[in-house]
Amino acid sequence: MNDTATVFSPIRWRDGGLKLLDQTRLPREETWLDCDRPEDVAAAIYRLSVRGAPAIGVTAAYGLVVGLNTLGEGQTLEERFDEVAELLGATRPTAVNLRWALEHGRKVFKRTEGLPDDKRIAALLAWAHETHAADIAANQKMGAHGATLFAAGDKVLTHCNTGALATAGYGTALGVIHASHDEGKVSQVWVDETRPLLQGARLTAWELERLEIPYKVVTDSSCGALMARGLVDRVVVGADRIAANGDAANKIGTYTVAVLANRHNVPFYVAAPLSTIDLETPTGNEIPIEERSADEVREVFGTVVAPENAPAANFAFDVTPNELIAAIITDAGVLEPPYTESIARAFLEQGEPAAPS
Ligand code: MRU
């Protein structure tokens, strides 16, 4: 079950360097990017060649190693670490896994003080590999926990892409769908196309195709009509950050799905590892929401569809308030409302804080 070597991952460490599957080119082309400099890693995260909160975190962990391997003239390893952590940390503000990885990486790096440079870099690389494997294991656990909520023949709706591509491997919400399908509990997946960048139509469909799970891509505006017709039994989505009270930030459009699910009594689940829960953020109001270029809204793959220079707004994420969430599926089990209590308990039971304190 935890054989990470057999799980597909969009992130590879090969021949001493970082390779990322360029998700901007999927599903047409499977191209792997070589990230030789930390600037390559930061650019890949920013332009969504690698995306999804857990995948961003694991990429940043390797990105720190890439940074230390390209030390500037006369620079100390400490100076380089700070420079690279700042560069990577500035790429995407909502995904808390990015901050989590950089802060954990710093702790690991500090523990190696006094060792020769090569030993310090080796220790950081070993930690990045552990982080990679731990994310896959967490997702597999989440899949098993989440499948207990599903019933035979369920039709499930999901938004954005939360599969292997969005993580170190296996996936969060799509991992739950995968595990539930393996148990014979999913008859079909409704895949929201997920405008503006179509992570659903391009990436989730690509993954479900490979997994041979029946699916249909629908426009984002279809979900209300599908629910009104009784065609959706459950919704499961991922999260970029979950506040301490259970409010969850995820791809723009998720909140709309949650409101409609509530209207139609369809259980709405969020699946995310504990590393996506941010105890330092009390409620969804404090979650920073990334705003991206208006061009992504005006255009569809380089073709301008609105009047040129039409004013446009592009909030990449929205926040679903905790009262709309029937359960939060984590690697530590299924959490139920009231979330302030169940989240605090899950962290306590885990022994050490999963989020940086
Ligand atoms: O902008 P993206 O593609 O990085 O947004 C990704 C999402 O919103 C995912 O649902 C979230 O990161 C969870 S991925 C397991």
Side-chain angles (χ1 to χ4, degrees):
M1 173 115 180
N2 283 341
D3 185 8
T4 54
T6 62
V7 173
F8 172 77
S9 178
I11 305 161
R12 290 180 183 164
W13 187 266
R14 290 270 193 292
D15 309 322
L18 178 64
K19 324 255 178 248
L20 298 172
L21 180 59
D22 186 353
Q23 299 185 29
T24 63
R25 292 171 175 265
L26 286 175
R28 269 166 221 88
E29 277 172 48
E30 291 178 38
T31 309
W32 289 82
L33 298 171
D34 286 315
C35 295
D36 298 330
R37 301 168 309 135
E39 288 77 11
D40 302 331
V41 183
I45 296 174
Y46 184 74
R47 67 166 183 267
L48 272 54
S49 288
V50 62
R51 28 86 28 218
I56 293 170
V58 173
T59 300
Y62 286 118
L64 290 171
V65 180
V66 172
L68 297 188
N69 276 336
T70 51
L71 197 62
E73 235 352 74
Q75 209 176 21
T76 67
L77 221 49
E78 268 76 15
E79 285 163 351
R80 184 63 171 160
F81 188 100
D82 289 345
E83 186 176 70
V84 173
E86 196 181 323
L87 172 78
L88 297 172
T91 49
R92 298 200 72 191
T94 306
V96 75
N97 304 60
L98 175 60
R99 194 190 75 198
W100 186 94
L102 296 176
E103 291 186 8
H104 272 245
R106 183 177 295 279
K107 284 183 190 162
V108 172
F109 181 61
K110 277 211 179 319
R111 281 205 293 269
T112 64
E113 247 164 24
L115 293 178
D117 282 5
D118 60 335
K119 293 268 182 307
R120 300 190 76 184
I121 299 173
L124 203 66
L125 178 59
W127 162 77
H129 285 314
E130 275 165 31
T131 305
H132 192 157
D135 185 58
I136 296 173
N139 293 337
Q140 289 174 321
K141 281 189 199 155
M142 218 182 299
H145 292 310
T148 62
L149 299 170
F150 283 64
D154 274 349
K155 290 192 167 67
V156 186
L157 184 137
T158 192
H159 193 75
C160 197
N161 171 266
T162 59
L165 290 172
T167 62
Y170 199 73
T172 59
L174 206 62
V176 168
I177 291 173
H178 183 172
S180 304
H181 179 263
D182 283 351
E183 293 185 17
K185 292 177 171 171
V186 171
S187 63
Q188 199 205 288
V189 186
W190 297 109
V191 177
D192 277 359
E193 61 177 347
T194 318
R195 269 285 282 153
L197 297 178
L198 302 170
Q199 288 93 330
R202 295 187 302 109
L203 309 177
T204 301
W206 183 80
E207 290 201 48
L208 290 172
E209 200 79 46
R210 287 168 61 112
L211 294 169
E212 299 183 11
I213 299 177
Y215 71 92
K216 281 187 182 152
V217 179
V218 286
T219 55
D220 293 337
S221 42
S222 298
C223 89
L226 293 175
M227 289 177 189
R229 288 169 170 226
L231 295 174
V232 182
D233 299 301
R234 277 158 230 285
V235 175
V236 57
V237 298
D240 270 70
R241 188 186 301 220
I242 299 175
N245 72 343
D247 294 348
N250 192 49
K251 180 52 58 195
I252 192 80
T254 302
Y255 170 55
T256 319
V257 177
V259 170
L260 286 162
N262 184 257
R263 168 76 174 80
H264 295 284
N265 293 317
V266 173
F268 177 95
Y269 307 131
V270 173
L274 288 188
S275 57
T276 298
I277 301 179
D278 181 12
L279 296 181
E280 291 173 18
T281 301
T283 75
N285 293 335
E286 292 82 38
I287 298 178
I289 299 296
E290 176 182 4
E291 264 193 83
R292 296 183 61 87
S293 162
D295 286 340
E296 291 179 353
V297 176
R298 283 190 289 258
E299 295 174 7
V300 180
F301 288 102
T303 303
V304 181
V305 292
E308 207 146 344
N309 301 321
N314 188 6
F315 298 99
F317 301 98
D318 58 27
V319 175
T320 298
N322 58 19
E323 68 265 22
L324 297 180
I325 303 171
I328 300 178
I329 303 161
T330 74
D331 41 326
V334 175
L335 309 185
E336 287 173 354
Y339 292 115
T340 306
E341 281 80 357
S342 56
I343 286 174
R345 211 176 314 120
F347 275 85
L348 216 61
E349 280 167 8
Q350 209 202 206
E352 56 169 311
S357 52

